[in-house]
Amino acid sequence: MSYEHPLAYLLGVEGLALLRGFIGEFDQKFVDDRIAEVRRLVNDDSLRDAAVDVARVEPDEGYRLWARSYDAGRNTAFDFDEPMMIEIIDPLPPGIALDAACGTGRWTQHLTARGHQVIGVDGSPEMLAHAQNRAPTAEFRQGDLRALPVETDSVDLVVCSLALTHAPELDPIIAEFARVLRPGGHLALADMHPERVLRGAIPTLRRANGQPARPASYRHLVGDYLRAALRVGLQPKACVEPTIATDPEPRRPARDLGPWEVWPWSLAELVPDASDAADDGVPVMLIWHFQLAQ
């Protein structure tokens, strides 16, 4: 169970902004404004009793809950992973491709359209049902990323997006990707950047009884991916950390917290200048292209 207090989030954002001011990125007025804003937040009665207890659910339960609404609206993370992943995937010749943690089949559909013979693997039967409808010519198998139901040396390309943040360990999963790849095969991997996980970029869900929940998420550092890949013969060809543009102009703070489902985004709007300063130049995604040694 997590205890999500909006004041804790807001003070954390202010602290990140103040640290950047401390090393000279902002002037005295900015620092004075932040300290004044901290005082205002601490004295804001509307924040005192707004905390929420949030269940931390395992990925299988989380994706089962999420399957009902996953395709209802476009996930803003797609705006960051798709251009970079497509840049990796599209120049590769058609072959046998594995969409690992395929979810509702977003990448399966793209790979099929590019002429690949696609195997989609996911632990959620609810997600797989959506994927089958989306990409009817692909083959789908229910399975665990740590023990893929795929033959050794059998695929030319592995694609995995927005999944490994929810895995406690990278090594066994990346070792499985290397196992199923043929020599010279490619791995295209995208996930939330650890800095974004630190800032609360974790999906919001609700259990059947209405209890707020988030899937268990882990901060894997950039070096964690690299070390796990090198151990199994995967060589890095590219690493991209796209950032989000922040507003250079001062903005008026929002007036209310918004519903829990839009935390932390609505919380950030309560302190827009601090949030922009804390986020400036901080990556949103971590995208890798690896190739298995010949």
Side-chain angles (χ1 to χ4, degrees):
M1 190 72 69
S2 298
Y3 178 70
E4 296 187 7
H5 199 302
L7 184 57
Y9 177 84
L10 295 168
L11 294 180
V13 170
E14 296 284 359
L16 289 170
L18 283 166
L19 283 173
R20 299 185 76 160
F22 188 78
I23 62 171
E25 293 188 20
F26 301 102
D27 61 16
Q28 180 181 344
K29 182 181 184 306
F30 176 87
V31 172
D32 289 344
D33 287 348
R34 301 285 65 74
I35 293 172
E37 192 164 57
V38 167
R39 292 193 179 102
R40 175 181 66 78
L41 292 168
V42 170
N43 293 318
D44 187 339
D45 289 338
S46 69
L47 298 175
R48 293 183 189 277
D49 300 316
V52 177
D53 288 321
V54 180
R56 180 181 169 95
V57 300
E58 291 307 308
D60 285 350
E61 179 183 358
Y63 280 99
R64 188 181 74 248
L65 296 171
W66 206 4
R68 296 171 295 185
S69 60
Y70 193 85
D71 288 335
R74 182 174 172 82
N75 186 330
T76 56
F78 298 170
D79 295 332
F80 294 92
D81 76 336
E82 287 182 359
M84 305 296 178
M85 292 285 276
I86 287 171
E87 192 172 308
I88 296 168
I89 293 166
D90 283 9
L92 300 176
I96 300 176
L98 167 65
D99 186 0
C102 64
T104 58
R106 174 172 63 114
W107 287 110
T108 304
Q109 185 180 43
H110 180 84
L111 291 164
T112 301
R114 296 292 302 173
H116 294 273
Q117 180 183 335
V118 186
I119 303 166
V121 173
D122 201 275
S124 166
E126 292 83 3
M127 287 282 192
L128 289 171
H130 287 285
Q132 188 71 74
N133 289 331
R134 190 172 191 169
T137 62
E139 179 185 354
F140 292 96
R141 304 173 186 176
Q142 187 176 349
D144 191 316
L145 294 184
R146 295 166 297 184
L148 289 166
V150 179
E151 295 75 16
T152 298
D153 297 345
S154 63
V155 303
D156 304 292
L157 168 66
V158 175
V159 173
C160 185
S161 185
L162 300 176
L164 299 193
T165 294
H166 304 301
E169 295 181 283
L170 295 177
D171 289 78
I173 296 173
I174 291 180
E176 275 293 275
F177 294 162
R179 178 185 67 80
V180 303
L181 277 171
R182 292 172 176 149
H186 296 263
L187 168 62
L189 179 62
D191 231 310
M192 297 306 298
H193 198 280
E195 288 297 322
R196 288 294 156 183
V197 179
L198 177 67
R199 287 160 168 75
I202 303 169
T204 55
L205 309 168
R206 283 194 184 270
R207 284 174 157 167
N209 63 2
Q211 181 187 25
R214 294 188 195 266
S217 298
Y218 304 88
R219 290 184 63 236
H220 302 304
L221 303 181
V222 175
D224 294 335
Y225 291 88
L226 182 59
R227 284 183 288 271
L230 291 175
R231 287 187 189 107
V232 292
L234 287 162
Q235 301 296 317
K237 293 181 68 67
C239 178
V240 185
E241 299 172 275
T243 61
I244 190 169
T246 55
D247 196 331
E249 298 298 324
R251 293 183 288 144
R252 181 169 296 181
R255 295 189 175 184
D256 61 74
L257 296 170
W260 171 78
E261 278 77 4
V262 291
W263 290 10
W265 320 119
S266 67
L267 300 181
E269 289 302 308
L270 294 174
V271 290
D273 292 342
S275 180
D276 283 349
D279 284 350
D280 186 35
V282 175
V284 178
M285 302 285 295
L286 178 60
I287 298 167
W288 289 99
H289 178 193
F290 293 104
Q291 186 172 20
L292 188 64
Q294 295 275 9

